[in-house]
């Protein structure tokens, strides 16, 4: 029997935990409310061939989309301040080559997402490698909110590579 027919339980959207391997993100792993897994594509070159249409060849380069998370905002804004400080520090540091900056300041980090089963057992681990925070989204404060009482803000990371185990 194949693995597909042995386990007919579907992935639940709430069965995940985020761990960010960076000392400046102590609060985010506890407050990640939503995660949008990045897509991946292959750049396929087209080659002209005699008087026929171009021929598309298999690509040799993977392109990863951005990783996005919605983070819960605590009343002291600690989660927001962590991300803001990291992005601000990346911009205000003295200019160095990207490789020297990454290794020296630790601006690139790994992010691990653990997927659990319906019985809360770890079934898969996704490791996003060499991630860099690239943007912080808006926080909406409104006195007449009829939506969820939970306030979140989006954070986007550029991903160097990811692996699923």
């Amino acid at each position: 029997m194949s693995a597909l027919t042995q386990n007919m339980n579907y992935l639940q959207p709430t069965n995940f935990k985020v761990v960010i391997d960076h000392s400046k993100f102590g609060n985010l792993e506890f407050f990640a409310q939503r995660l949008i897994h990045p897509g991946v594509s292959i750049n396929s070159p087209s080659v002209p061939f005699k008087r026929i249409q171009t021929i598309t060849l298999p690509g040799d380069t993977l392109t990863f989309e951005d990783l996005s998370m919605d983070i819960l905002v605590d009343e002291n804004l600690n989660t927001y301040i962590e991300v803001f400080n990291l992005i601000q520090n990346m911009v205000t540091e003295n200019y160095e080559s990207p490789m020297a900056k990454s290794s020296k300041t630790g601006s690139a980090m790994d992010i691990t997402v653990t997927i659990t089963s319906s019985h809360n057992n770890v079934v898969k681990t996704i490791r996003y490698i060499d991630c860099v925070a690239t943007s912080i989204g808006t926080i909406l404060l409104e006195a007449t909110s009829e939506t969820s009482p939970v306030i979140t803000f989006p954070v986007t990371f550029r991903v160097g590579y990811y692996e699923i185990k």
Side-chain angles (χ1 to χ4, degrees), residues 1-160:
M1 228 187 244
S2 72
L4 178 62
T5 56
Q6 288 178 356
N7 184 0
M8 290 303 290
N9 294 322
Y10 300 107
L11 176 64
Q12 299 298 313
T14 58
N15 291 2
F16 73 97
K17 178 183 176 186
V18 176
V19 176
I20 301 177
D21 300 328
H22 198 282
S23 61
K24 295 179 182 175
F25 284 115
N27 290 308
L28 291 188
E29 68 186 64
F30 303 108
F31 290 97
Q33 170 124 5
R34 179 168 64 156
L35 181 132
I36 301 172
H37 177 74
V40 61
S41 61
I42 299 174
N43 298 331
S44 300
S46 296
V47 178
F49 184 73
K50 297 186 182 181
R51 288 177 257 177
I52 305 175
Q53 249 184 339
T54 58
I55 299 171
T56 303
L57 300 174
D60 62 351
T61 304
L62 294 175
T63 302
F64 296 96
E65 294 177 4
D66 290 339
L67 169 68
S68 298
M69 285 187 238
D70 284 348
I71 308 297
L72 291 168
V73 180
D74 61 290
E75 64 183 9
N76 293 324
L77 296 174
N78 290 330
T79 52
Y80 184 85
I81 292 168
E82 284 180 358
V83 181
F84 179 78
N85 287 342
L86 179 74
I87 290 177
Q88 184 180 26
N89 289 340
M90 288 187 329
V91 171
T92 58
E93 294 170 349
N94 292 332
Y95 178 78
E96 297 181 39
S97 71
M99 295 305 289
K101 181 182 277 189
S102 176
S103 64
K104 188 175 183 181
T105 64
S107 58
M109 66 201 83
D110 291 351
I111 298 173
T112 303
V113 176
T114 306
I115 307 292
T116 57
S117 68
S118 56
H119 295 93
N120 289 328
N121 298 321
V122 175
V123 291
K124 293 289 178 193
T125 300
I126 306 171
R127 186 170 161 237
Y128 303 98
I129 302 165
D130 292 335
C131 300
V132 177
T134 57
S135 71
I136 305 173
T138 59
I139 295 177
L140 176 62
L141 300 172
E142 60 180 325
T144 59
S145 177
E146 295 178 13
T147 60
S148 172
V150 177
I151 297 175
T152 62
F153 67 96
V155 179
T156 304
F157 296 89
R158 186 171 305 118
V159 175

